Amino acid sequence: MTSWVDITTVNQSSTYNYTKPAEQKNSLGKDDFLRILVTQLANQDPGNPLQDKDFIAQMATFSSLEQMMNLNKAFEKFANLQIHQYSSSIGKIITWMPDDSTTPVSGEVIGVTVQDGKYFYLVGEEKIAIEKVTEIRQKSEEISNKE
């Protein structure tokens, strides 16, 4: 008795059609580095094994890589926290000193933007650098220096 399968009746939407293409990586991560290290240890020449100092150097490199990745994650969290902090000023009145004037100007913050790593408040059509702001107050207060 044979157990042949007629391939013309096999469902064309098999699981093979749902495989994802391999993702292209531009850099190695800590998992990749660890995989390389384990492969290197598993395939080393028994007559000339990896020296202790080489192994320690590779483990130190692995540890440094892991710490740098953790530091990058911390910086990303900090940047997100920073924009959140600045966004709390939306709807408030800020006062700043324009470059070409000795008179302070005030206006309502309608948004926050980041350009080249610097944060700016959006007031009307203007971008005001965060460091130029001299005062932030609730909108309910009267604007005394508005032009």
Side-chain angles (χ1 to χ4, degrees), residues 13-47:
S13 62
S14 69
T15 57
Y16 296 110
N17 292 338
Y18 296 111
T19 57
K20 293 181 183 178
E23 294 180 23
Q24 183 177 359
K25 289 186 175 183
N26 292 332
S27 61
L28 292 174
K30 64 181 182 179
D31 292 336
D32 299 317
F33 185 83
L34 189 57
R35 210 173 288 120
I36 291 169
L37 183 62
V38 168
T39 302
Q40 181 182 6
L41 288 172
N43 295 313
Q44 66 182 334
D45 180 11

mmCIF file of all heavy atoms in Angstrom, residues 13-47:
data_model
loop_
_atom_site.group_PDB
_atom_site.id
_atom_site.type_symbol
_atom_site.label_atom_id
_atom_site.label_comp_id
_atom_site.label_asym_id
_atom_site.label_seq_id
_atom_site.Cartn_x
_atom_site.Cartn_y
_atom_site.Cartn_z
ATOM 1 N N SER A 13 -1.996 27.735 -0.262
ATOM 2 C CA SER A 13 -1.684 28.709 0.794
ATOM 3 C C SER A 13 -1.053 28.012 1.988
ATOM 4 O O SER A 13 -1.515 28.129 3.100
ATOM 5 C CB SER A 13 -2.944 29.458 1.208
ATOM 6 O OG SER A 13 -3.881 28.539 1.731
ATOM 7 N N SER A 14 -0.016 27.247 1.732
ATOM 8 C CA SER A 14 0.669 26.545 2.812
ATOM 9 C C SER A 14 1.472 27.537 3.635
ATOM 10 O O SER A 14 1.639 28.689 3.283
ATOM 11 C CB SER A 14 1.576 25.456 2.238
ATOM 12 O OG SER A 14 2.651 26.048 1.550
ATOM 13 N N THR A 15 2.004 27.067 4.734
ATOM 14 C CA THR A 15 2.761 27.943 5.621
ATOM 15 C C THR A 15 4.030 28.470 4.965
ATOM 16 O O THR A 15 4.562 29.481 5.396
ATOM 17 C CB THR A 15 3.147 27.202 6.913
ATOM 18 O OG1 THR A 15 3.880 26.040 6.561
ATOM 19 C CG2 THR A 15 1.935 26.858 7.733
ATOM 20 N N TYR A 16 4.504 27.840 3.945
ATOM 21 C CA TYR A 16 5.714 28.301 3.273
ATOM 22 C C TYR A 16 5.504 29.645 2.585
ATOM 23 O O TYR A 16 6.436 30.393 2.376
ATOM 24 C CB TYR A 16 6.217 27.266 2.272
ATOM 25 C CG TYR A 16 6.636 25.988 2.950
ATOM 26 C CD1 TYR A 16 5.898 24.829 2.799
ATOM 27 C CD2 TYR A 16 7.763 25.956 3.766
ATOM 28 C CE1 TYR A 16 6.270 23.664 3.439
ATOM 29 C CE2 TYR A 16 8.140 24.800 4.406
ATOM 30 C CZ TYR A 16 7.395 23.666 4.246
ATOM 31 O OH TYR A 16 7.768 22.522 4.868
ATOM 32 N N ASN A 17 4.283 29.948 2.228
ATOM 33 C CA ASN A 17 4.001 31.231 1.588
ATOM 34 C C ASN A 17 4.006 32.380 2.584
ATOM 35 O O ASN A 17 3.977 33.534 2.213
ATOM 36 C CB ASN A 17 2.639 31.193 0.876
ATOM 37 C CG ASN A 17 2.665 30.263 -0.312
ATOM 38 O OD1 ASN A 17 3.720 29.969 -0.849
ATOM 39 N ND2 ASN A 17 1.488 29.783 -0.707
ATOM 40 N N TYR A 18 4.024 32.095 3.883
ATOM 41 C CA TYR A 18 3.942 33.134 4.903
ATOM 42 C C TYR A 18 5.285 33.426 5.566
ATOM 43 O O TYR A 18 5.330 34.107 6.568
ATOM 44 C CB TYR A 18 2.929 32.735 5.975
ATOM 45 C CG TYR A 18 1.527 32.626 5.432
ATOM 46 C CD1 TYR A 18 0.894 31.399 5.326
ATOM 47 C CD2 TYR A 18 0.853 33.755 4.996
ATOM 48 C CE1 TYR A 18 -0.379 31.296 4.813
ATOM 49 C CE2 TYR A 18 -0.430 33.661 4.487
ATOM 50 C CZ TYR A 18 -1.045 32.436 4.396
ATOM 51 O OH TYR A 18 -2.305 32.342 3.889
ATOM 52 N N THR A 19 6.360 32.903 5.022
ATOM 53 C CA THR A 19 7.658 33.175 5.622
ATOM 54 C C THR A 19 8.074 34.605 5.328
ATOM 55 O O THR A 19 7.818 35.148 4.266
ATOM 56 C CB THR A 19 8.742 32.210 5.093
ATOM 57 O OG1 THR A 19 8.794 32.327 3.677
ATOM 58 C CG2 THR A 19 8.445 30.790 5.509
ATOM 59 N N LYS A 20 8.713 35.212 6.310
ATOM 60 C CA LYS A 20 9.180 36.591 6.171
ATOM 61 C C LYS A 20 10.551 36.597 5.509
ATOM 62 O O LYS A 20 11.357 35.704 5.751
ATOM 63 C CB LYS A 20 9.312 37.252 7.547
ATOM 64 C CG LYS A 20 8.005 37.451 8.257
ATOM 65 C CD LYS A 20 8.263 38.129 9.582
ATOM 66 C CE LYS A 20 6.994 38.296 10.384
ATOM 67 N NZ LYS A 20 7.251 38.914 11.679
ATOM 68 N N PRO A 21 10.822 37.618 4.706
ATOM 69 C CA PRO A 21 12.172 37.706 4.143
ATOM 70 C C PRO A 21 13.169 38.032 5.251
ATOM 71 O O PRO A 21 12.816 38.643 6.257
ATOM 72 C CB PRO A 21 12.058 38.858 3.140
ATOM 73 C CG PRO A 21 10.866 39.640 3.574
ATOM 74 C CD PRO A 21 9.950 38.681 4.264
ATOM 75 N N ALA A 22 14.382 37.620 5.055
ATOM 76 C CA ALA A 22 15.419 37.898 6.054
ATOM 77 C C ALA A 22 15.638 39.394 6.156
ATOM 78 O O ALA A 22 15.696 40.105 5.159
ATOM 79 C CB ALA A 22 16.719 37.198 5.658
ATOM 80 N N GLU A 23 15.711 39.874 7.394
ATOM 81 C CA GLU A 23 15.947 41.298 7.609
ATOM 82 C C GLU A 23 17.430 41.595 7.442
ATOM 83 O O GLU A 23 18.280 40.863 7.926
ATOM 84 C CB GLU A 23 15.509 41.690 9.017
ATOM 85 C CG GLU A 23 14.020 41.560 9.243
ATOM 86 C CD GLU A 23 13.623 41.948 10.658
ATOM 87 O OE1 GLU A 23 14.390 42.696 11.300
ATOM 88 O OE2 GLU A 23 12.574 41.511 11.112
ATOM 89 N N GLN A 24 17.698 42.695 6.779
ATOM 90 C CA GLN A 24 19.084 43.103 6.593
ATOM 91 C C GLN A 24 19.501 43.974 7.770
ATOM 92 O O GLN A 24 18.805 44.904 8.127
ATOM 93 C CB GLN A 24 19.233 43.878 5.294
ATOM 94 C CG GLN A 24 20.664 44.273 5.021
ATOM 95 C CD GLN A 24 20.803 44.992 3.690
ATOM 96 O OE1 GLN A 24 19.845 45.176 2.975
ATOM 97 N NE2 GLN A 24 21.988 45.411 3.383
ATOM 98 N N LYS A 25 20.629 43.632 8.377
ATOM 99 C CA LYS A 25 21.135 44.397 9.511
ATOM 100 C C LYS A 25 22.320 45.235 9.056
ATOM 101 O O LYS A 25 23.131 44.793 8.257
ATOM 102 C CB LYS A 25 21.584 43.474 10.635
ATOM 103 C CG LYS A 25 20.454 42.794 11.352
ATOM 104 C CD LYS A 25 21.002 42.019 12.530
ATOM 105 C CE LYS A 25 19.909 41.419 13.350
ATOM 106 N NZ LYS A 25 20.443 40.725 14.528
ATOM 107 N N ASN A 26 22.402 46.433 9.607
ATOM 108 C CA ASN A 26 23.519 47.309 9.284
ATOM 109 C C ASN A 26 24.615 47.235 10.332
ATOM 110 O O ASN A 26 25.709 47.721 10.118
ATOM 111 C CB ASN A 26 23.038 48.752 9.145
ATOM 112 C CG ASN A 26 22.146 48.936 7.941
ATOM 113 O OD1 ASN A 26 22.275 48.217 6.966
ATOM 114 N ND2 ASN A 26 21.240 49.890 8.015
ATOM 115 N N SER A 27 24.308 46.653 11.501
ATOM 116 C CA SER A 27 25.313 46.563 12.547
ATOM 117 C C SER A 27 25.090 45.299 13.359
ATOM 118 O O SER A 27 24.015 44.721 13.354
ATOM 119 C CB SER A 27 25.237 47.795 13.454
ATOM 120 O OG SER A 27 23.962 47.845 14.068
ATOM 121 N N LEU A 28 26.127 44.894 14.048
ATOM 122 C CA LEU A 28 26.043 43.712 14.890
ATOM 123 C C LEU A 28 25.586 44.119 16.284
ATOM 124 O O LEU A 28 26.022 45.129 16.814
ATOM 125 C CB LEU A 28 27.404 43.023 14.985
ATOM 126 C CG LEU A 28 27.927 42.369 13.712
ATOM 127 C CD1 LEU A 28 29.336 41.855 13.935
ATOM 128 C CD2 LEU A 28 27.016 41.243 13.283
ATOM 129 N N GLY A 29 24.746 43.308 16.873
ATOM 130 C CA GLY A 29 24.303 43.535 18.237
ATOM 131 C C GLY A 29 24.997 42.578 19.179
ATOM 132 O O GLY A 29 25.815 41.751 18.774
ATOM 133 N N LYS A 30 24.624 42.671 20.452
ATOM 134 C CA LYS A 30 25.292 41.816 21.431
ATOM 135 C C LYS A 30 24.967 40.345 21.218
ATOM 136 O O LYS A 30 25.813 39.486 21.447
ATOM 137 C CB LYS A 30 24.946 42.264 22.849
ATOM 138 C CG LYS A 30 23.508 42.139 23.241
ATOM 139 C CD LYS A 30 23.295 42.632 24.651
ATOM 140 C CE LYS A 30 21.839 42.454 25.041
ATOM 141 N NZ LYS A 30 21.613 42.906 26.409
ATOM 142 N N ASP A 31 23.759 40.036 20.746
ATOM 143 C CA ASP A 31 23.409 38.642 20.476
ATOM 144 C C ASP A 31 24.261 38.081 19.337
ATOM 145 O O ASP A 31 24.709 36.938 19.395
ATOM 146 C CB ASP A 31 21.927 38.505 20.129
ATOM 147 C CG ASP A 31 21.031 38.801 21.324
ATOM 148 O OD1 ASP A 31 21.497 38.655 22.471
ATOM 149 O OD2 ASP A 31 19.868 39.185 21.093
ATOM 150 N N ASP A 32 24.494 38.901 18.309
ATOM 151 C CA ASP A 32 25.329 38.474 17.189
ATOM 152 C C ASP A 32 26.762 38.226 17.650
ATOM 153 O O ASP A 32 27.394 37.246 17.268
ATOM 154 C CB ASP A 32 25.321 39.538 16.084
ATOM 155 C CG ASP A 32 23.932 39.770 15.533
ATOM 156 O OD1 ASP A 32 23.216 38.785 15.301
ATOM 157 O OD2 ASP A 32 23.566 40.941 15.347
ATOM 158 N N PHE A 33 27.270 39.133 18.484
ATOM 159 C CA PHE A 33 28.637 39.001 18.979
ATOM 160 C C PHE A 33 28.776 37.730 19.817
ATOM 161 O O PHE A 33 29.741 36.971 19.674
ATOM 162 C CB PHE A 33 29.023 40.233 19.804
ATOM 163 C CG PHE A 33 30.452 40.236 20.239
ATOM 164 C CD1 PHE A 33 31.447 40.671 19.388
ATOM 165 C CD2 PHE A 33 30.809 39.792 21.502
ATOM 166 C CE1 PHE A 33 32.780 40.675 19.785
ATOM 167 C CE2 PHE A 33 32.126 39.790 21.908
ATOM 168 C CZ PHE A 33 33.114 40.229 21.043
ATOM 169 N N LEU A 34 27.793 37.472 20.682
ATOM 170 C CA LEU A 34 27.837 36.281 21.512
ATOM 171 C C LEU A 34 27.764 35.017 20.658
ATOM 172 O O LEU A 34 28.468 34.034 20.911
ATOM 173 C CB LEU A 34 26.691 36.298 22.529
ATOM 174 C CG LEU A 34 26.711 35.227 23.606
ATOM 175 C CD1 LEU A 34 28.005 35.278 24.405
ATOM 176 C CD2 LEU A 34 25.522 35.387 24.531
ATOM 177 N N ARG A 35 26.932 35.038 19.615
ATOM 178 C CA ARG A 35 26.815 33.890 18.704
ATOM 179 C C ARG A 35 28.157 33.621 18.010
ATOM 180 O O ARG A 35 28.580 32.472 17.873
ATOM 181 C CB ARG A 35 25.719 34.181 17.669
ATOM 182 C CG ARG A 35 25.020 32.953 17.189
ATOM 183 C CD ARG A 35 23.829 33.256 16.286
ATOM 184 N NE ARG A 35 22.717 33.815 17.053
ATOM 185 C CZ ARG A 35 22.175 35.024 16.855
ATOM 186 N NH1 ARG A 35 22.598 35.792 15.900
ATOM 187 N NH2 ARG A 35 21.181 35.461 17.592
ATOM 188 N N ILE A 36 28.831 34.682 17.584
ATOM 189 C CA ILE A 36 30.148 34.523 16.943
ATOM 190 C C ILE A 36 31.153 33.935 17.926
ATOM 191 O O ILE A 36 31.921 33.031 17.585
ATOM 192 C CB ILE A 36 30.648 35.884 16.393
ATOM 193 C CG1 ILE A 36 29.788 36.317 15.207
ATOM 194 C CG2 ILE A 36 32.117 35.798 15.994
ATOM 195 C CD1 ILE A 36 30.044 37.753 14.767
ATOM 196 N N LEU A 37 31.144 34.429 19.158
ATOM 197 C CA LEU A 37 32.072 33.950 20.176
ATOM 198 C C LEU A 37 31.844 32.464 20.476
ATOM 199 O O LEU A 37 32.795 31.677 20.535
ATOM 200 C CB LEU A 37 31.927 34.782 21.455
ATOM 201 C CG LEU A 37 32.875 34.444 22.597
ATOM 202 C CD1 LEU A 37 34.321 34.664 22.191
ATOM 203 C CD2 LEU A 37 32.531 35.294 23.814
ATOM 204 N N VAL A 38 30.585 32.071 20.633
ATOM 205 C CA VAL A 38 30.270 30.666 20.920
ATOM 206 C C VAL A 38 30.665 29.794 19.735
ATOM 207 O O VAL A 38 31.230 28.698 19.917
ATOM 208 C CB VAL A 38 28.773 30.504 21.271
ATOM 209 C CG1 VAL A 38 28.366 29.046 21.292
ATOM 210 C CG2 VAL A 38 28.477 31.167 22.605
ATOM 211 N N THR A 39 30.399 30.235 18.517
ATOM 212 C CA THR A 39 30.778 29.473 17.324
ATOM 213 C C THR A 39 32.296 29.330 17.247
ATOM 214 O O THR A 39 32.819 28.258 16.932
ATOM 215 C CB THR A 39 30.249 30.166 16.053
ATOM 216 O OG1 THR A 39 28.839 30.289 16.161
ATOM 217 C CG2 THR A 39 30.604 29.385 14.807
ATOM 218 N N GLN A 40 32.998 30.409 17.566
ATOM 219 C CA GLN A 40 34.456 30.366 17.552
ATOM 220 C C GLN A 40 34.975 29.366 18.578
ATOM 221 O O GLN A 40 35.880 28.569 18.282
ATOM 222 C CB GLN A 40 35.017 31.761 17.842
ATOM 223 C CG GLN A 40 36.529 31.823 17.834
ATOM 224 C CD GLN A 40 37.044 33.213 18.168
ATOM 225 O OE1 GLN A 40 36.282 34.100 18.516
ATOM 226 N NE2 GLN A 40 38.335 33.402 18.058
ATOM 227 N N LEU A 41 34.404 29.357 19.773
ATOM 228 C CA LEU A 41 34.837 28.416 20.804
ATOM 229 C C LEU A 41 34.522 26.974 20.420
ATOM 230 O O LEU A 41 35.311 26.071 20.669
ATOM 231 C CB LEU A 41 34.174 28.756 22.142
ATOM 232 C CG LEU A 41 34.682 30.009 22.840
ATOM 233 C CD1 LEU A 41 33.815 30.336 24.048
ATOM 234 C CD2 LEU A 41 36.141 29.852 23.247
ATOM 235 N N ALA A 42 33.359 26.763 19.816
ATOM 236 C CA ALA A 42 32.947 25.404 19.443
ATOM 237 C C ALA A 42 33.794 24.849 18.306
ATOM 238 O O ALA A 42 33.989 23.634 18.203
ATOM 239 C CB ALA A 42 31.474 25.402 19.047
ATOM 240 N N ASN A 43 34.305 25.711 17.440
ATOM 241 C CA ASN A 43 35.035 25.250 16.262
ATOM 242 C C ASN A 43 36.533 25.507 16.333
ATOM 243 O O ASN A 43 37.213 25.458 15.312
ATOM 244 C CB ASN A 43 34.466 25.920 15.006
ATOM 245 C CG ASN A 43 33.040 25.501 14.756
ATOM 246 O OD1 ASN A 43 32.709 24.335 14.804
ATOM 247 N ND2 ASN A 43 32.185 26.479 14.515
ATOM 248 N N GLN A 44 37.045 25.782 17.520
ATOM 249 C CA GLN A 44 38.475 26.065 17.616
ATOM 250 C C GLN A 44 39.305 24.793 17.433
ATOM 251 O O GLN A 44 38.827 23.693 17.660
ATOM 252 C CB GLN A 44 38.806 26.751 18.937
ATOM 253 C CG GLN A 44 38.596 25.908 20.174
ATOM 254 C CD GLN A 44 38.900 26.685 21.438
ATOM 255 O OE1 GLN A 44 39.680 27.619 21.418
ATOM 256 N NE2 GLN A 44 38.284 26.296 22.533
ATOM 257 N N ASP A 45 40.523 24.981 17.047
ATOM 258 C CA ASP A 45 41.455 23.876 16.842
ATOM 259 C C ASP A 45 41.863 23.318 18.210
ATOM 260 O O ASP A 45 42.426 24.044 19.026
ATOM 261 C CB ASP A 45 42.681 24.402 16.089
ATOM 262 C CG ASP A 45 43.727 23.325 15.823
ATOM 263 O OD1 ASP A 45 43.426 22.127 16.024
ATOM 264 O OD2 ASP A 45 44.836 23.697 15.407
ATOM 265 N N PRO A 46 41.601 22.026 18.483
ATOM 266 C CA PRO A 46 41.964 21.465 19.793
ATOM 267 C C PRO A 46 43.461 21.518 20.065
ATOM 268 O O PRO A 46 43.885 21.595 21.203
ATOM 269 C CB PRO A 46 41.484 20.013 19.724
ATOM 270 C CG PRO A 46 40.569 19.923 18.564
ATOM 271 C CD PRO A 46 40.906 21.059 17.648
ATOM 272 N N GLY A 47 44.262 21.498 19.016
ATOM 273 C CA GLY A 47 45.712 21.558 19.194
ATOM 274 C C GLY A 47 46.205 22.965 19.471
ATOM 275 O O GLY A 47 47.305 23.159 19.976
#
